[in-house]
Amino acid sequence: MGTLKPSHLFFVGLLISAFALSSRFFAHQKVVATITDDRLLEASGLEESYVNPGYFWTHNDSGSDPTLYLINLSGEIQMEVELKGLKNRDWEEIITVKKDGKSFIYVAEIGDNRAIYNHVSLICLEEPVFLGKQKLAIEKSAVKVMNFQYAEGARDAEAMLFDRHLEEFVLITKREKKALVYSFPFEPNEVPVTIKSKGTIPSRNFTAADMNDNGEILLKNYDSIFYWNSSVQAAADQILAWKPIAIDYTPEPQGEAICWYQGDFYTISEKNKGKPQEMLLFQRLK
């Protein structure tokens, strides 16, 4: 066995330090639920419900029904909410926001695998309360929509979070070698507005993101979960500076959803042939 050079020892030391840092915040994932309901085969979003404590919102992507699903911590559907008059062309993200004593759901219609759509959308509705009724329909008149396009041209995206300090949405694209980052307020419209990238980051294939009330940020792709500690700095600026902490994570078969809940965070995967569809918990270390 050869002797390690000083440069090699330095690199190994960096890896050990990075792992130690990542392990200091959250425990390694554990399975808390296995999804067995065929209505959630392509789960592509996950978010805490504010008006229904102990529950989460999720949805499918890519041409599925325009339906939101309220699930419990066991991954069981408790309520279906249909958005009447809307289509699910490719819903990819869901976010809940508290404002003026109310809670709102934002659904990001931002998937565009072939980069062919003239515009994408952000859909807003007041968060429904679960009163035991298993199915609910929301009329189109109760929904607000913001249509937008990218100054740099059509592109695919799946990750979006809400900057709770600036009250802006931050979107991170998927397929470029260096992902683009956007930040913009929600402004309902009929004619699409154009948003311009604030810059790029040296990674790709992002599928989900979330920011909690304390300003902590999560951003994931298929292989990694990145974490930023609490800060008052704009979320987009933190991400663009690209100094995240890598979380200890074993990749899911097709993990496209992540969310904070009571200081911990959860992920959920799509159904992958021959493998269980699981809901994972990453528990904060005390």
Side-chain angles (χ1 to χ4, degrees):
M1 180 177 178
T3 303
L4 287 175
K5 296 180 180 179
S7 60
H8 294 165
L9 289 171
F10 176 73
F11 179 68
V12 171
L14 284 178
L15 288 177
I16 293 173
S17 297
F19 178 77
L21 191 60
S22 70
S23 302
R24 194 170 64 193
F25 293 95
F26 300 93
H28 188 72
Q29 66 214 57
K30 68 176 181 180
V31 178
V32 293
T34 299
I35 311 299
T36 58
D37 196 314
D38 287 345
R39 289 174 289 177
L40 294 178
L41 291 179
E42 294 194 33
S44 191
L46 187 68
E47 184 69 322
E48 172 187 5
S49 171
Y50 285 133
V51 301
N52 306 293
Y55 295 90
F56 299 84
W57 291 104
T58 187
H59 58 80
N60 294 302
D61 64 11
S62 242
S64 301
D65 293 334
T67 302
L68 304 176
Y69 298 93
L70 187 71
I71 64 172
N72 59 20
L73 284 164
S74 298
E76 300 163 330
I77 295 175
Q78 304 299 297
M79 179 170 64
E80 295 182 23
V81 179
E82 178 191 1
L83 304 191
K84 295 185 69 174
L86 297 182
K87 293 183 178 180
N88 178 351
R89 187 176 68 191
D90 200 352
W91 292 1
E92 292 290 355
E93 188 71 277
I94 185 168
I95 299 166
T96 49
V97 176
K98 291 180 286 189
K99 187 174 183 180
D100 300 328
K102 296 181 179 180
S103 179
F104 297 89
I105 294 176
Y106 292 84
V107 182
E109 170 84 283
I110 54 177
D112 188 359
N113 291 333
R114 294 178 291 167
I116 58 173
Y117 298 130
N118 176 58
H119 69 273
V120 290
S121 305
L122 189 56
I123 303 161
C124 175
L125 64 146
E126 189 168 346
E127 186 180 354
V129 178
F130 177 50
L131 298 173
K133 189 175 181 180
Q134 295 184 339
K135 290 191 176 183
L136 182 66
I138 303 294
E139 298 295 333
K140 190 174 182 180
S141 59
V143 173
K144 296 180 180 179
V145 179
M146 176 183 177
N147 300 296
F148 59 95
Q149 55 193 11
Y150 307 106
E152 299 79 7
R155 59 202 60 246
D156 190 26
E158 296 186 8
M160 182 184 282
L161 59 84
F162 182 67
D163 185 330
R164 301 176 191 275
H165 300 311
L166 291 185
E167 296 191 347
E168 289 192 355
F169 290 88
V170 177
L171 180 151
I172 304 95
T173 61
K174 183 178 181 182
R175 299 188 183 275
E176 298 83 2
K177 289 184 178 179
K178 292 185 177 182
L180 282 72
V181 179
Y182 299 81
S183 185
F184 58 94
F186 178 78
E187 297 175 345
N189 59 32
E190 293 184 4
V191 178
V193 296
T194 300
I195 62 173
K196 185 176 181 180
S197 166
K198 293 174 66 70
T200 62
I201 52 179
S203 192
R204 62 184 305 195
N205 288 331
F206 293 107
T207 60
D210 199 18
M211 182 178 187
N212 63 19
D213 292 339
N214 296 325
E216 294 174 290
I217 296 171
L218 294 167
L219 178 61
K220 83 176 298 293
N221 57 22
Y222 292 120
D223 301 316
S224 305
I225 295 176
F226 302 100
Y227 167 74
W228 286 260
N229 212 332
S230 180
S231 173
V232 296
Q233 185 181 10
D237 292 343
Q238 291 184 69
I239 294 170
L240 285 166
W242 199 247
K243 295 179 181 179
I245 296 166
I247 297 296
D248 182 18
Y249 170 59
T250 301
E252 301 150 270
Q254 181 120 3
E256 296 189 355
I258 195 167
C259 79
W260 290 104
Y261 179 70
Q262 295 185 350
D264 306 320
F265 71 88
Y266 290 77
T267 67
I268 193 171
S269 64
E270 293 188 2
K271 181 66 176 177
N272 198 283
K273 188 175 181 180
K275 296 181 180 180
Q277 184 181 10
E278 296 172 334
M279 187 172 180
L280 305 178
L281 165 66
F282 296 75
Q283 197 162 19
R284 190 184 297 270
L285 298 174
K286 305 300 182 183

